[in-house]
């Protein structure tokens, strides 16, 4: 299968990720990874202090901070906040999640039981 055949299977617009350097250079209003994670935390918790706390915990003695580790912590905490506050600020996201899971989960369980 070539790339044209693969992409033509989808009804939504494809997003090609080629790296932040490209988009940062050629597109306006783009973020570095550091700034994007800070912005996400600001949107989630009202300021970037929580981001700075997470970043401080992940920063190694030589000053290097693995942003993928920071992002994983943010994701985990975001998912926990969605679970704890079902109808809060991100109700729309929870609605989509539970709608999709109600369709997907029964099929998964049936397939798993049949495979055993």
């Amino acid at each position: 299968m070539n790339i044209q055949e693969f992409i033509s299977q989808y009804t939504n617009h494809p997003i090609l990720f080629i790296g932040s350097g490209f988009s940062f250079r050629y597109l306006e209003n783009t973020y570095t990874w550091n700034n994007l994670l800070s912005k996400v935390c600001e949107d989630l918790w009202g300021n970037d202090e929580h981001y700075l706390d997470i970043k401080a915990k992940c920063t190694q003695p030589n000053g290097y901070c693995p942003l993928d580790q920071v992002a994983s912590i943010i994701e985990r905490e975001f998912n926990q906040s969605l679970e704890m506050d079902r109808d809060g600020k991100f109700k729309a996201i929870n609605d989509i999640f539970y709608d999709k899971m109600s369709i997907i989960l029964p099929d998964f369980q049936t397939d798993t039981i049949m495979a055993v």
Side-chain angles (χ1 to χ4, degrees):
M1 175 183 301
N2 66 34
I3 190 77
Q4 178 66 30
E5 292 170 342
F6 179 76
I7 291 176
S8 67
Q9 295 177 32
Y10 296 93
T11 57
N12 57 342
H13 298 289
I15 298 174
L16 179 63
F17 180 78
I18 53 178
S20 62
F22 181 84
S23 56
F24 191 71
R25 180 177 294 164
Y26 295 106
L27 301 175
E28 293 181 26
N29 300 321
T30 57
Y31 297 92
T32 63
W33 275 113
N34 186 58
N35 291 342
L36 179 61
L37 293 173
S38 176
K39 171 80 168 104
V40 167
C41 286
E42 188 173 319
D43 290 348
L44 291 174
W45 294 291
N47 61 51
D48 71 344
E49 290 178 1
H50 192 65
Y51 170 67
L52 296 174
D53 289 338
I54 294 169
K55 190 176 172 183
K57 290 175 188 172
C58 294
T59 300
Q60 299 171 357
N62 65 1
Y64 172 73
C65 181
L67 294 180
D68 59 330
Q69 184 179 357
V70 173
S72 292
I73 293 169
I74 293 168
E75 177 187 21
R76 185 171 50 252
E77 291 185 11
F78 174 69
N79 289 338
Q80 288 172 346
S81 70
L82 288 180
E83 290 174 10
M84 294 174 62
D85 191 11
R86 168 65 177 96
D87 295 320
K89 182 177 180 180
F90 298 100
K91 180 184 183 317
I93 293 171
N94 265 335
D95 290 345
I96 293 168
F97 171 78
Y98 288 112
D99 285 345
K100 300 285 185 191
M101 287 307 295
S102 67
I103 295 167
I104 294 170
L105 194 53
D107 292 339
F108 175 75
Q109 289 175 336
T110 302
D111 292 346
T112 304
I113 292 169
M114 291 176 68
V116 173

